Amino acid sequence: MSSPRATPSQDRAQVLDTAGFARVSLIAEREAGLTIPTAKQAMVQSRLSRRLAATGMTDFASYLSYVEGRDGVEERANMISALTTNVSSFFRENHHFETLREKILPGLAERARAGGRIRLWSAGCSSGQEPYSIAMCVLEVIRDAARLDFRILATDIDRAILAQAKTGTYDERQMSGVPKDLRDKHFKEASAKGHASWTANDGLRSIVTFRQLNLIEPWPMSAQFDVVFCRNVVIYFSEETQMTLWPRFAKVMPKDAWFFLGHSERIQSIAAPLFETRGVTSYQRSSASAERLSQPERT
Ligand SMILES: C[S@@+](CC[C@H](N)C(=O)[O-])C[C@H]1O[C@@H](n2cnc3c(N)ncnc32)[C@H](O)[C@@H]1O
């Protein structure tokens, strides 16, 4: 794709040129592990133009110097937020939720009722549809989950999208993936300015905890996770970054814990022994040690 052109009302300083795009790519890779293909240069320019406007800057060169500088910490986070792709939907790749309901949750229910601690993790949860879909499955199978030691951790690098996820509010289009019986049970309807919206009720929210977490930085959690969803996230990372993540995920999963990836994501061959394939993009932790493959984390 050719470099983006200036429109008549746009002067040259507001065009993200090849050198500017290279600077953005470097920051995105270093800060979030994101690999941005050159074909996305026009999209990056359009998304960052909004950051230029928000910061009151008039040219990309000054904006990037600010972002790269010592005072640019907050704007770096805003820039990453502008660059991430947050597309999500309820019960996306539904076969994972069928596996969760039918094969995983009955066993976890038994363990929880015997006093066990159960943790599920939605890593890269975006606007919350994934963890709330998990929570609906949990409450379908284990109605008293909130009274047991049963929780879903939902994390994302992007504070803006997490704030949205925490509201638990979705419009009609977003709710289209939620069957009516589940919608009626777990959401309450409101209407603002003539538009219907639904907000997750307290029962659903009580078993989900949202936290900001950058996957390429150290993880503060001490928990072991029985199920991890990390779907449509590592597709934006280089193979090298993905390779650093597989052993880290393996280390927070006990043997037989389940791991779900997005439809176009796969665990690369060298890390494959850490997980046994259980169907399309579905895995269970094997007994292989993750130590051999571990690489130093970025700090
Ligand atoms: C396309 S969404 C996937 C949402 C959900 N998992 C799904 O499949 O519907 C990708 C999410 O990954 C998040 N993300 C990207 N880089 C990340 C990183 N380094 N650490 C944590 N989350 C990251 C983005 O902010 C975005 O919300």
Side-chain angles (χ1 to χ4, degrees):
M1 192 185 265
S2 57
S3 296
R5 295 222 181 88
T7 59
S9 60
Q10 218 178 13
D11 68 42
R12 288 173 62 83
Q14 286 187 325
V15 173
L16 183 68
D17 60 15
T18 308
F21 177 74
R23 285 167 80 182
V24 173
S25 299
L26 210 66
I27 299 168
E29 211 288 319
R30 194 185 58 221
E31 297 292 317
L34 301 173
T35 300
I36 310 180
T38 41
K40 297 260 172 86
Q41 189 168 333
M43 183 205 79
V44 168
Q45 174 182 300
S46 146
R47 289 189 182 183
L48 293 189
S49 294
R50 280 174 240 145
R51 291 310 315 155
L52 238 66
T55 51
M57 298 208 178
T58 50
D59 65 279
F60 273 110
S62 313
Y63 175 75
L64 289 171
S65 298
Y66 173 57
V67 166
E68 288 162 344
R70 265 194 302 170
D71 297 334
V73 179
E74 204 179 319
E75 186 50 32
R76 270 204 293 281
N78 291 333
M79 178 176 144
I80 295 301
S81 173
L83 293 174
T84 51
T85 300
N86 301 122
V87 176
S88 191
S89 54
F90 285 103
F91 298 106
R92 182 181 196 180
E93 298 171 51
N94 191 42
H95 61 104
H96 291 152
F97 297 97
E98 281 165 7
T99 303
L100 180 65
R101 248 184 250 115
E102 289 158 22
K103 294 196 180 154
I104 306 175
L105 288 172
L108 295 184
E110 259 180 49
R111 268 182 44 209
R113 294 219 165 86
R117 176 184 219 219
I118 308 296
R119 294 291 179 268
L120 289 76
W121 181 15
S122 165
C125 65
S126 188
S127 35
Q129 289 94 329
E130 183 175 273
Y132 289 129
S133 299
I134 298 171
M136 282 186 265
C137 293
V138 167
L139 292 176
E140 251 180 273
V141 179
I142 313 160
R143 286 167 67 173
D144 55 345
R147 288 198 294 275
L148 304 171
D149 194 357
F150 207 115
R151 297 290 176 269
I152 299 156
L153 173 68
T155 64
D156 203 284
I157 191 174
D158 183 348
R159 286 186 197 279
I161 205 73
L162 276 176
Q164 212 175 301
K166 281 183 201 169
T167 68
T169 300
Y170 301 94
D171 64 22
E172 189 140 27
R173 186 188 52 79
Q174 292 170 309
M175 288 301 287
S176 63
V178 183
K180 188 176 178 314
D181 59 325
L182 292 181
R183 193 187 71 190
D184 292 347
K185 199 188 290 179
H186 298 295
F187 289 82
K188 42 187 178 299
E189 189 176 353
S191 100
K193 294 179 191 154
H195 295 290
S197 69
W198 282 264
T199 299
N201 66 23
D202 292 345
L204 199 62
R205 297 151 79 102
S206 68
I207 58 169
V208 183
T209 305
F210 289 98
R211 290 273 181 275
Q212 196 265 346
L213 178 75
N214 183 348
L215 284 171
I216 67 163
E217 287 179 356
W219 303 344
M221 310 87 81
S222 55
Q224 288 276 297
F225 294 92
D226 300 288
V227 185
V228 177
F229 283 70
C230 184
R231 307 182 313 157
N232 310 298
V233 179
V234 303
I235 190 177
Y236 300 105
F237 298 163
S238 67
E239 272 202 17
E240 195 189 349
T241 301
Q242 291 183 26
M243 263 313 300
T244 65
L245 287 176
W246 307 131
R248 295 180 68 201
F249 278 118
K251 279 188 191 168
V252 297
M253 289 187 228
K255 181 170 177 327
D256 295 332
W258 286 79
F259 192 27
F260 296 114
L261 299 180
H263 60 93
S264 51
E265 298 163 332
R266 297 289 179 276
I267 298 172
Q268 293 104 314
S269 55
I270 188 170
L274 299 174
F275 301 93
E276 279 163 25
T277 306
R278 293 285 182 257
V280 182
T281 54
S282 306
Y283 303 87
Q284 266 187 293
R285 176 75 172 98
S286 72
S287 54
S289 165
E291 291 303 333
R292 192 176 52 84
L293 292 173
S294 292
Q295 296 169 28
E297 292 164 6
R298 295 197 207 179
T299 47

mmCIF file with all atom_site columns, all heavy atoms in Angstrom, residues 21-34:
data_model
loop_
_atom_site.group_PDB
_atom_site.id
_atom_site.type_symbol
_atom_site.label_atom_id
_atom_site.label_alt_id
_atom_site.label_comp_id
_atom_site.label_asym_id
_atom_site.label_entity_id
_atom_site.label_seq_id
_atom_site.pdbx_PDB_ins_code
_atom_site.Cartn_x
_atom_site.Cartn_y
_atom_site.Cartn_z
_atom_site.occupancy
_atom_site.B_iso_or_equiv
_atom_site.pdbx_formal_charge
_atom_site.auth_seq_id
_atom_site.auth_comp_id
_atom_site.auth_asym_id
_atom_site.auth_atom_id
_atom_site.pdbx_PDB_model_num
ATOM 1   N N   . PHE A 1 21 ? 6.171  6.516  10.651 1.00 0.00 ? 21 PHE A N   1
ATOM 2   C CA  . PHE A 1 21 ? 5.541  5.207  10.843 1.00 0.00 ? 21 PHE A CA  1
ATOM 3   C C   . PHE A 1 21 ? 6.529  4.230  11.493 1.00 0.00 ? 21 PHE A C   1
ATOM 4   O O   . PHE A 1 21 ? 6.156  3.447  12.379 1.00 0.00 ? 21 PHE A O   1
ATOM 5   C CB  . PHE A 1 21 ? 5.043  4.656  9.498  1.00 0.00 ? 21 PHE A CB  1
ATOM 6   C CG  . PHE A 1 21 ? 4.453  3.279  9.607  1.00 0.00 ? 21 PHE A CG  1
ATOM 7   C CD1 . PHE A 1 21 ? 3.203  3.088  10.185 1.00 0.00 ? 21 PHE A CD1 1
ATOM 8   C CD2 . PHE A 1 21 ? 5.157  2.173  9.154  1.00 0.00 ? 21 PHE A CD2 1
ATOM 9   C CE1 . PHE A 1 21 ? 2.664  1.805  10.314 1.00 0.00 ? 21 PHE A CE1 1
ATOM 10  C CE2 . PHE A 1 21 ? 4.629  0.891  9.278  1.00 0.00 ? 21 PHE A CE2 1
ATOM 11  C CZ  . PHE A 1 21 ? 3.378  0.708  9.858  1.00 0.00 ? 21 PHE A CZ  1
ATOM 12  N N   . ALA A 1 22 ? 7.799  4.314  11.080 1.00 0.00 ? 22 ALA A N   1
ATOM 13  C CA  . ALA A 1 22 ? 8.821  3.430  11.670 1.00 0.00 ? 22 ALA A CA  1
ATOM 14  C C   . ALA A 1 22 ? 8.972  3.721  13.165 1.00 0.00 ? 22 ALA A C   1
ATOM 15  O O   . ALA A 1 22 ? 9.129  2.801  13.977 1.00 0.00 ? 22 ALA A O   1
ATOM 16  C CB  . ALA A 1 22 ? 10.153 3.623  10.946 1.00 0.00 ? 22 ALA A CB  1
ATOM 17  N N   . ARG A 1 23 ? 8.879  5.000  13.539 1.00 0.00 ? 23 ARG A N   1
ATOM 18  C CA  . ARG A 1 23 ? 8.984  5.356  14.968 1.00 0.00 ? 23 ARG A CA  1
ATOM 19  C C   . ARG A 1 23 ? 7.791  4.806  15.746 1.00 0.00 ? 23 ARG A C   1
ATOM 20  O O   . ARG A 1 23 ? 7.939  4.261  16.840 1.00 0.00 ? 23 ARG A O   1
ATOM 21  C CB  . ARG A 1 23 ? 9.052  6.884  15.133 1.00 0.00 ? 23 ARG A CB  1
ATOM 22  C CG  . ARG A 1 23 ? 10.412 7.451  14.753 1.00 0.00 ? 23 ARG A CG  1
ATOM 23  C CD  . ARG A 1 23 ? 10.343 8.964  14.626 1.00 0.00 ? 23 ARG A CD  1
ATOM 24  N NE  . ARG A 1 23 ? 10.397 9.663  15.912 1.00 0.00 ? 23 ARG A NE  1
ATOM 25  C CZ  . ARG A 1 23 ? 10.310 10.986 16.032 1.00 0.00 ? 23 ARG A CZ  1
ATOM 26  N NH1 . ARG A 1 23 ? 10.149 11.753 14.956 1.00 0.00 ? 23 ARG A NH1 1
ATOM 27  N NH2 . ARG A 1 23 ? 10.383 11.562 17.212 1.00 0.00 ? 23 ARG A NH2 1
ATOM 28  N N   . VAL A 1 24 ? 6.602  4.933  15.154 1.00 0.00 ? 24 VAL A N   1
ATOM 29  C CA  . VAL A 1 24 ? 5.388  4.409  15.808 1.00 0.00 ? 24 VAL A CA  1
ATOM 30  C C   . VAL A 1 24 ? 5.521  2.896  15.992 1.00 0.00 ? 24 VAL A C   1
ATOM 31  O O   . VAL A 1 24 ? 5.241  2.353  17.071 1.00 0.00 ? 24 VAL A O   1
ATOM 32  C CB  . VAL A 1 24 ? 4.124  4.725  14.964 1.00 0.00 ? 24 VAL A CB  1
ATOM 33  C CG1 . VAL A 1 24 ? 2.901  4.026  15.547 1.00 0.00 ? 24 VAL A CG1 1
ATOM 34  C CG2 . VAL A 1 24 ? 3.888  6.226  14.881 1.00 0.00 ? 24 VAL A CG2 1
ATOM 35  N N   . SER A 1 25 ? 5.981  2.208  14.939 1.00 0.00 ? 25 SER A N   1
ATOM 36  C CA  . SER A 1 25 ? 6.103  0.741  14.990 1.00 0.00 ? 25 SER A CA  1
ATOM 37  C C   . SER A 1 25 ? 7.042  0.314  16.105 1.00 0.00 ? 25 SER A C   1
ATOM 38  O O   . SER A 1 25 ? 6.783  -0.653 16.826 1.00 0.00 ? 25 SER A O   1
ATOM 39  C CB  . SER A 1 25 ? 6.644  0.189  13.670 1.00 0.00 ? 25 SER A CB  1
ATOM 40  O OG  . SER A 1 25 ? 5.777  0.518  12.646 1.00 0.00 ? 25 SER A OG  1
ATOM 41  N N   . LEU A 1 26 ? 8.126  1.061  16.230 1.00 0.00 ? 26 LEU A N   1
ATOM 42  C CA  . LEU A 1 26 ? 9.126  0.737  17.256 1.00 0.00 ? 26 LEU A CA  1
ATOM 43  C C   . LEU A 1 26 ? 8.526  0.877  18.662 1.00 0.00 ? 26 LEU A C   1
ATOM 44  O O   . LEU A 1 26 ? 8.703  0.013  19.525 1.00 0.00 ? 26 LEU A O   1
ATOM 45  C CB  . LEU A 1 26 ? 10.306 1.699  17.093 1.00 0.00 ? 26 LEU A CB  1
ATOM 46  C CG  . LEU A 1 26 ? 11.668 1.191  17.495 1.00 0.00 ? 26 LEU A CG  1
ATOM 47  C CD1 . LEU A 1 26 ? 12.095 0.058  16.576 1.00 0.00 ? 26 LEU A CD1 1
ATOM 48  C CD2 . LEU A 1 26 ? 12.695 2.336  17.408 1.00 0.00 ? 26 LEU A CD2 1
ATOM 49  N N   . ILE A 1 27 ? 7.786  1.964  18.869 1.00 0.00 ? 27 ILE A N   1
ATOM 50  C CA  . ILE A 1 27 ? 7.164  2.197  20.187 1.00 0.00 ? 27 ILE A CA  1
ATOM 51  C C   . ILE A 1 27 ? 6.132  1.103  20.474 1.00 0.00 ? 27 ILE A C   1
ATOM 52  O O   . ILE A 1 27 ? 6.083  0.540  21.567 1.00 0.00 ? 27 ILE A O   1
ATOM 53  C CB  . ILE A 1 27 ? 6.488  3.594  20.243 1.00 0.00 ? 27 ILE A CB  1
ATOM 54  C CG1 . ILE A 1 27 ? 7.520  4.697  20.022 1.00 0.00 ? 27 ILE A CG1 1
ATOM 55  C CG2 . ILE A 1 27 ? 5.765  3.790  21.578 1.00 0.00 ? 27 ILE A CG2 1
ATOM 56  C CD1 . ILE A 1 27 ? 6.916  6.081  19.766 1.00 0.00 ? 27 ILE A CD1 1
ATOM 57  N N   . ALA A 1 28 ? 5.319  0.779  19.462 1.00 0.00 ? 28 ALA A N   1
ATOM 58  C CA  . ALA A 1 28 ? 4.254  -0.221 19.653 1.00 0.00 ? 28 ALA A CA  1
ATOM 59  C C   . ALA A 1 28 ? 4.856  -1.581 19.987 1.00 0.00 ? 28 ALA A C   1
ATOM 60  O O   . ALA A 1 28 ? 4.335  -2.312 20.840 1.00 0.00 ? 28 ALA A O   1
ATOM 61  C CB  . ALA A 1 28 ? 3.395  -0.310 18.395 1.00 0.00 ? 28 ALA A CB  1
ATOM 62  N N   . GLU A 1 29 ? 5.976  -1.903 19.345 1.00 0.00 ? 29 GLU A N   1
ATOM 63  C CA  . GLU A 1 29 ? 6.618  -3.197 19.594 1.00 0.00 ? 29 GLU A CA  1
ATOM 64  C C   . GLU A 1 29 ? 7.223  -3.215 20.996 1.00 0.00 ? 29 GLU A C   1
ATOM 65  O O   . GLU A 1 29 ? 7.050  -4.161 21.762 1.00 0.00 ? 29 GLU A O   1
ATOM 66  C CB  . GLU A 1 29 ? 7.697  -3.437 18.534 1.00 0.00 ? 29 GLU A CB  1
ATOM 67  C CG  . GLU A 1 29 ? 7.917  -4.908 18.172 1.00 0.00 ? 29 GLU A CG  1
ATOM 68  C CD  . GLU A 1 29 ? 8.614  -5.708 19.262 1.00 0.00 ? 29 GLU A CD  1
ATOM 69  O OE1 . GLU A 1 29 ? 9.567  -5.183 19.875 1.00 0.00 ? 29 GLU A OE1 1
ATOM 70  O OE2 . GLU A 1 29 ? 8.197  -6.862 19.517 1.00 0.00 ? 29 GLU A OE2 1
ATOM 71  N N   . ARG A 1 30 ? 7.912  -2.137 21.324 1.00 0.00 ? 30 ARG A N   1
ATOM 72  C CA  . ARG A 1 30 ? 8.608  -2.082 22.615 1.00 0.00 ? 30 ARG A CA  1
ATOM 73  C C   . ARG A 1 30 ? 7.618  -2.029 23.785 1.00 0.00 ? 30 ARG A C   1
ATOM 74  O O   . ARG A 1 30 ? 7.786  -2.696 24.793 1.00 0.00 ? 30 ARG A O   1
ATOM 75  C CB  . ARG A 1 30 ? 9.501  -0.833 22.629 1.00 0.00 ? 30 ARG A CB  1
ATOM 76  C CG  . ARG A 1 30 ? 10.532 -0.815 23.734 1.00 0.00 ? 30 ARG A CG  1
ATOM 77  C CD  . ARG A 1 30 ? 11.274 0.501  23.747 1.00 0.00 ? 30 ARG A CD  1
ATOM 78  N NE  . ARG A 1 30 ? 10.366 1.623  23.909 1.00 0.00 ? 30 ARG A NE  1
ATOM 79  C CZ  . ARG A 1 30 ? 10.471 2.779  23.254 1.00 0.00 ? 30 ARG A CZ  1
ATOM 80  N NH1 . ARG A 1 30 ? 11.425 2.974  22.386 1.00 0.00 ? 30 ARG A NH1 1
ATOM 81  N NH2 . ARG A 1 30 ? 9.608  3.754  23.465 1.00 0.00 ? 30 ARG A NH2 1
ATOM 82  N N   . GLU A 1 31 ? 6.552  -1.256 23.636 1.00 0.00 ? 31 GLU A N   1
ATOM 83  C CA  . GLU A 1 31 ? 5.623  -1.040 24.750 1.00 0.00 ? 31 GLU A CA  1
ATOM 84  C C   . GLU A 1 31 ? 4.595  -2.154 24.907 1.00 0.00 ? 31 GLU A C   1
ATOM 85  O O   . GLU A 1 31 ? 4.176  -2.450 26.017 1.00 0.00 ? 31 GLU A O   1
ATOM 86  C CB  . GLU A 1 31 ? 4.854  0.280  24.548 1.00 0.00 ? 31 GLU A CB  1
ATOM 87  C CG  . GLU A 1 31 ? 5.718  1.507  24.537 1.00 0.00 ? 31 GLU A CG  1
ATOM 88  C CD  . GLU A 1 31 ? 6.342  1.809  25.891 1.00 0.00 ? 31 GLU A CD  1
ATOM 89  O OE1 . GLU A 1 31 ? 5.637  1.701  26.910 1.00 0.00 ? 31 GLU A OE1 1
ATOM 90  O OE2 . GLU A 1 31 ? 7.545  2.145  25.919 1.00 0.00 ? 31 GLU A OE2 1
ATOM 91  N N   . ALA A 1 32 ? 4.149  -2.735 23.771 1.00 0.00 ? 32 ALA A N   1
ATOM 92  C CA  . ALA A 1 32 ? 3.020  -3.676 23.855 1.00 0.00 ? 32 ALA A CA  1
ATOM 93  C C   . ALA A 1 32 ? 3.255  -4.975 23.104 1.00 0.00 ? 32 ALA A C   1
ATOM 94  O O   . ALA A 1 32 ? 2.393  -5.852 23.120 1.00 0.00 ? 32 ALA A O   1
ATOM 95  C CB  . ALA A 1 32 ? 1.758  -2.999 23.319 1.00 0.00 ? 32 ALA A CB  1
ATOM 96  N N   . GLY A 1 33 ? 4.395  -5.094 22.436 1.00 0.00 ? 33 GLY A N   1
ATOM 97  C CA  . GLY A 1 33 ? 4.662  -6.311 21.658 1.00 0.00 ? 33 GLY A CA  1
ATOM 98  C C   . GLY A 1 33 ? 3.952  -6.310 20.314 1.00 0.00 ? 33 GLY A C   1
ATOM 99  O O   . GLY A 1 33 ? 3.984  -7.305 19.591 1.00 0.00 ? 33 GLY A O   1
ATOM 100 N N   . LEU A 1 34 ? 3.302  -5.199 19.961 1.00 0.00 ? 34 LEU A N   1
ATOM 101 C CA  . LEU A 1 34 ? 2.505  -5.174 18.732 1.00 0.00 ? 34 LEU A CA  1
ATOM 102 C C   . LEU A 1 34 ? 3.383  -5.055 17.489 1.00 0.00 ? 34 LEU A C   1
ATOM 103 O O   . LEU A 1 34 ? 4.303  -4.236 17.449 1.00 0.00 ? 34 LEU A O   1
ATOM 104 C CB  . LEU A 1 34 ? 1.532  -3.982 18.752 1.00 0.00 ? 34 LEU A CB  1
ATOM 105 C CG  . LEU A 1 34 ? 0.542  -3.941 19.914 1.00 0.00 ? 34 LEU A CG  1
ATOM 106 C CD1 . LEU A 1 34 ? -0.230 -2.623 19.911 1.00 0.00 ? 34 LEU A CD1 1
ATOM 107 C CD2 . LEU A 1 34 ? -0.422 -5.117 19.819 1.00 0.00 ? 34 LEU A CD2 1
#
